[in-house]
Amino acid sequence: MATLLYRMGRTAFQRRWLVTLLWAVILGAVGLGAAKAPAASDDGTSFMPGIEAQQAFDLIGERFPGSDANGANARIVFVAPEGEKVTAAGHRAAVDTLVAEAADEPRVDSAVNPFTAGAVSKDGTTAYATVNYKVKADDLTDADKAALEKAVDEVRDSGLTVEVGGTALATQPAAGGSSEGIGIALAAVVLLITFGSLAAAGLPLLTAVIGVGISMASIMALGGAFGLSLTTGTLATMLGLAVGIDYALFVVSRYREERANGHVPRDAAGLAVGTAGSAVVFAGLSVVIALAGLSVVGVPMLTKMGLCAAGAVVVAVLIALTLVPALLGMWPEAVLSRATRKGRAVSEPAGNGGSRWARFVLRRPVAVLVACVAGLGALALPATQLEMGMPGAESKPVSSTERRAYDALADGFGAGFNGPLTIVADVRGSAGPEAAVRAIAREIGATRGVVSVSAAQFNRAGDTALFSAVPATGPNDEDTKDLVKTIRSERPDLERETGATFEVTGSTAMNIDVAQALQAALVPYLAVIVVLALLLLLVVFRSVLVPVKAAFGFLLSVLASLGAVVAVFQWGWGAELLGVEQTGPIMSLMPIFLVGIVFGLAMDYEVFLVARMREAYVHGDRAPQAVVTGFRHSARVVAAAAVIMIAVFSGFMGADESMIKTIGFGLAVAVLFDAFVVRMALVPAVLALLGDKAWWLPRWLDRLLPQVDVEGVGLTAPPVPAAGRAGGEPAPKEPART
């Protein structure tokens, strides 16, 4: 592989204009496709097939044709001033006017008056009207929203407090906002400090932005066909930007090193792609495996996000292997340090910070190992109290009208009003359908924890009925989860008595079922990821113990980062500093996300750092010295890459969307733990204790494994003086494979 990538790097360097033009054409083509493509829409796929809540939801769609559960809706909440009633004549007239105006809008399917529907609180201070639209929220025009907002403002003028929940006027969350820009700016500063050259710092940023542009334009172009959206592409943006900068950083850093060692520009580009590029390929492959593996969890949205992000990583790898050496060909001297440009031979000092740190760890391996394991273990303890759920309006900022509407309904009608359970009863096997439904509703209504049960609504065929049950507790409360289990446990007896069956659905039940299914899938998925890590690193490093050590470190870092997420977003430690206004259960998708993505990123640093140690070892260094050599050449660059990733991920913590904020924080702390604790401290400590045994591999296994040559053993071209030669002039013959 090293020889193949060497040739690719030299070719891209030599044919730099053609390579750059090809990438420009690709960017333009996908950009045009994105501009011409229709807007993405929901493809109707189930959120998580197989769970009861989803099956019940699908049954409703089948038995109640024409009812569009995906249509936009607005729940308009009215709160009377202190000491007054919403039923007062003046307030009632204002509400009646709003409902009438809303019903006259062409896209409105129905507008329900709170005074005729009984949607007034017992104390008369709060009421709500429901406006249902014929189209989905994404299809509402600005005029539709403006008409509703105007009607709401008119009611506010009457003295009522009016807030709007539902999907019709819900704000679309931004991925990162200004904080994302701050993260990119910080990455630029780190690159500038690392390289000491504006060109060298700017090149990784430029190529990463191009890669993200291609990835996001592709997602938008294919959105209509595959149901992809900008939210689906959030993870692609996050990872594409982070790994795009890092992969280019490693190639540029190795190019500068090879130039300092006396190689001419084209050979240096070839050697950089042949060595650092090999690590990029396997690091990218590990990320792609982890992201593509999300498809086995069984959540279509998760599958889409994983595959889109995997595509962004593939683009980042291809750009690092082709566009980066092409741009180096355009400015072969600009990316070098000032000393190298002036012709002074510069080599990595034998006693830099990386090598000094490695020697420190080598002298105290047991102490460092114990400190790392104990520290990460302590941080992982909160993960044992992990509670999973799906954040709703209660997790939005208090400044949003959706959150205020949620709070007003909870105050007026009870905490469980915002999360009613929907019961769908199938009475085809019952002799008396209406009596069977009454018996089911009566039994559920008598269940402890149920506040009220609505009247049942039958479909036209008369074989299915719907009614709702309002819990006494909120949607994410543990008592609500227990209530759902209790209601379902009553089903067998009721089925025998009535001949009818029923299922529980609704947003609350859906979230409970999804959380339970994902929690059950977490351990098997984690096991699959660990096995993949062992196999991949076995091929890359040709060692039995190095992969085991890497998998152990990955488990420590992912559990510690999960513990930090629980401490902040569930327990509320330091939540105010991150702008988290409401703590609660961790988003159900978060642990799966974290396991998959941290696996990929952990393998990134493992490959980049340990590959350089392996390279030194196969070239004759003793095991301890190989560790020092690896740190001398790679520690600064790996540290810079980690800081860049932390900066990029931290930028997404400024998002309004709770899911994106949680993912950004989780990934940022995961990179912090994995890069600076596991890879920089635990890895050299373990290697110091293992010595030469770290690189042991049975002969029979050595014969079975493919030869991938990540270390560039097959690249044996000696340095050629650069005097009198330009980057585009003929280079020496191809390096021979040993």
Side-chain angles (χ1 to χ4, degrees):
M1 174 179 286
T3 302
L4 175 64
L5 293 177
Y6 173 88
R7 292 170 180 165
M8 182 184 295
R10 288 212 325 166
T11 301
F13 186 97
Q14 183 176 3
R15 301 181 182 274
R16 45 194 172 273
W17 291 107
L18 176 61
V19 172
T20 305
L21 179 61
L22 286 175
W23 279 108
V25 169
I26 292 172
L27 179 60
V30 295
L32 182 62
K36 298 291 185 182
S41 60
D42 187 359
D43 59 3
T45 14
S46 300
F47 179 79
M48 193 170 189
I51 59 176
E52 177 177 323
Q54 184 66 60
Q55 293 171 343
F57 186 82
D58 295 340
L59 181 63
I60 294 172
E62 175 188 339
R63 301 286 179 85
F64 289 82
S67 64
D68 187 5
N70 293 322
N73 64 83
R75 178 174 281 183
I76 308 170
V77 185
F78 310 96
V79 181
E82 187 174 355
E84 299 182 23
K85 303 287 187 182
V86 76
T87 52
H91 297 324
R92 181 164 185 158
V95 173
D96 289 340
T97 301
L98 180 147
V99 173
E101 290 179 358
D104 288 339
E105 291 298 316
R107 289 175 178 258
V108 171
D109 184 47
S110 64
V112 182
N113 193 305
F115 304 113
T116 58
V120 181
S121 64
K122 291 181 180 180
D123 60 6
T125 61
T126 309
Y128 67 91
T130 304
V131 179
N132 297 310
Y133 288 83
K134 302 174 184 177
V135 297
K136 299 173 184 176
D138 291 341
D139 296 328
L140 289 177
T141 64
D142 291 340
D144 296 327
K145 297 178 182 180
L148 182 61
E149 289 171 345
K150 179 182 177 183
V152 167
D153 288 339
E154 290 174 353
V155 179
R156 285 176 176 148
D157 292 340
S158 71
L160 288 173
T161 298
V162 187
E163 305 296 347
V164 184
T167 59
L169 299 182
T171 54
Q172 295 300 319
S178 59
S179 58
E180 183 183 347
I182 294 173
I184 296 175
L186 181 58
V189 172
V190 173
L191 286 169
L192 186 59
I193 294 173
T194 302
F195 287 132
S197 163
L198 285 174
L203 194 149
L205 287 173
L206 173 63
T207 54
V209 169
I210 291 173
V212 170
I214 291 173
S215 301
M216 291 306 297
S218 300
I219 291 170
M220 294 172 63
L222 299 173
F226 296 99
L228 308 178
S229 65
L230 290 177
T231 301
T232 307
T234 299
L235 185 62
T237 302
M238 193 183 298
L239 279 180
L241 192 60
V243 302
I245 294 174
D246 277 7
Y247 293 168
L249 165 65
F250 281 101
V251 173
V252 173
S253 178
R254 190 59 184 256
Y255 171 81
R256 284 161 52 100
E257 182 181 329
E258 298 299 339
R259 286 296 307 276
N261 289 337
H263 289 97
V264 294
R266 188 167 63 175
D267 289 343
L271 290 168
V273 175
T275 52
S278 296
V280 165
V281 169
F282 279 94
L285 180 61
S286 66
V287 181
V288 169
I289 289 173
L291 293 171
L294 292 172
S295 58
V296 305
V297 177
V299 181
M301 185 189 75
L302 195 60
T303 299
K304 292 176 184 178
M305 294 185 75
L307 293 178
C308 287
V313 173
V314 170
V315 171
V317 170
L318 293 175
I319 283 181
L321 300 179
T322 57
L323 184 58
V324 169
L327 295 179
L328 287 174
M330 293 183 181
W331 299 284
E333 310 298 327
V335 298
L336 303 179
S337 65
R338 182 176 302 177
T340 305
R341 287 199 302 268
K342 291 182 176 180
R344 298 197 299 268
V346 178
S347 59
E348 196 74 23
N352 65 8
S355 60
R356 286 193 294 271
W357 169 252
R359 291 191 182 98
F360 172 84
V361 175
L362 290 176
R363 289 193 298 269
R364 305 167 181 84
V366 175
V368 172
L369 179 61
V370 170
C372 291
V373 174
L376 293 177
L379 289 169
L381 287 177
T384 60
Q385 304 298 318
L386 173 67
E387 296 177 9
M388 297 201 298
M390 292 296 285
E394 76 282 0
S395 65
K396 292 182 178 291
V398 179
S399 58
S400 68
T401 186
E402 299 101 299
R403 169 65 186 277
R404 294 196 297 269
Y406 180 97
D407 292 342
L409 288 171
D411 292 340
F413 297 90
F417 186 81
N418 285 298
L421 305 176
T422 300
I423 316 297
V424 51
D426 186 345
V427 295
R428 287 182 300 182
S430 175
E434 293 186 2
V437 171
R438 283 198 300 270
I440 293 172
R442 184 170 55 252
E443 186 69 24
I444 292 177
T447 303
R448 183 178 180 181
V450 174
V451 174
S452 63
V453 174
S454 68
Q457 173 190 356
F458 279 84
N459 64 344
R460 290 183 180 179
D463 60 3
T464 310
L466 280 178
F467 62 91
S468 62
V470 178
T473 49
N476 287 319
D477 198 290
E478 285 296 318
D479 289 338
T480 305
K481 298 177 184 178
D482 294 337
L483 174 62
V484 172
K485 294 178 183 177
T486 301
I487 292 174
R488 287 172 174 169
S489 69
E490 298 170 349
R491 183 162 42 206
D493 292 338
L494 284 171
E495 287 179 353
R496 284 192 296 269
E497 294 174 11
T498 64
T501 184
F502 68 88
E503 293 177 315
V504 183
T505 186
S507 60
T508 299
M510 183 75 76
N511 293 341
I512 292 171
D513 288 355
V514 168
Q516 290 176 344
L518 289 176
Q519 195 160 12
L522 180 59
V523 173
Y525 179 66
L526 183 60
V528 170
I529 288 298
V530 170
V531 171
L532 287 174
L534 292 172
L535 293 176
L536 181 67
L537 296 181
L538 183 65
V539 173
V540 173
F541 295 124
R542 312 191 71 78
S543 164
V544 173
L545 297 179
V546 167
V548 173
K549 174 265 305 172
F552 174 69
F554 157 67
L555 286 174
L556 279 177
S557 58
V558 75
L559 290 175
S561 56
L562 263 179
V565 168
V566 169
V568 173
F569 291 89
Q570 185 176 310
W571 294 356
W573 294 1
E576 293 182 0
L577 299 176
L578 300 179
V580 179
E581 299 185 15
Q582 182 70 35
T583 59
I586 303 303
M587 180 191 65
S588 300
L589 300 177
M590 181 63 194
I592 293 283
F593 260 135
L594 203 60
V595 168
I597 298 170
V598 173
F599 163 77
L601 300 181
M603 295 308 102
D604 267 10
Y605 297 119
E606 181 74 13
V607 170
F608 287 134
L609 187 61
V610 181
R612 202 59 190 266
M613 300 178 192
R614 169 79 179 170
E615 181 179 341
Y617 185 77
V618 299
H619 282 92
D621 279 5
R622 293 176 57 253
Q625 183 56 39
V627 173
V628 176
T629 301
F631 267 80
R632 177 161 57 89
H633 288 292
S634 300
R636 187 179 69 163
V637 179
V638 169
V643 171
I644 289 169
M645 275 204 179
I646 293 170
V648 172
F649 291 147
S650 298
F652 289 85
M653 289 158 54
D656 296 328
E657 181 65 29
S658 174
M659 178 181 75
I660 299 174
K661 185 189 293 287
T662 308
I663 291 175
F665 173 81
L667 293 180
V669 297
V671 171
L672 176 67
F673 297 153
D674 194 83
F676 291 104
V677 180
V678 173
R679 308 303 155 188
M680 290 288 188
L682 187 144
V683 166
V686 172
L687 292 178
L689 294 173
L690 292 176
D692 290 320
K693 295 177 182 177
W695 310 107
W696 171 77
L697 184 70
R699 291 185 179 179
W700 64 268
L701 186 55
D702 185 46
R703 290 192 297 269
L704 290 176
L705 294 179
Q707 298 283 344
V708 295
D709 190 17
V710 177
E711 304 85 13
V713 177
L715 303 180
T716 58
V720 178
R725 296 206 30 202
E729 293 181 6
K733 64 181 181 179
E734 295 287 338
R737 179 175 290 279
T738 57

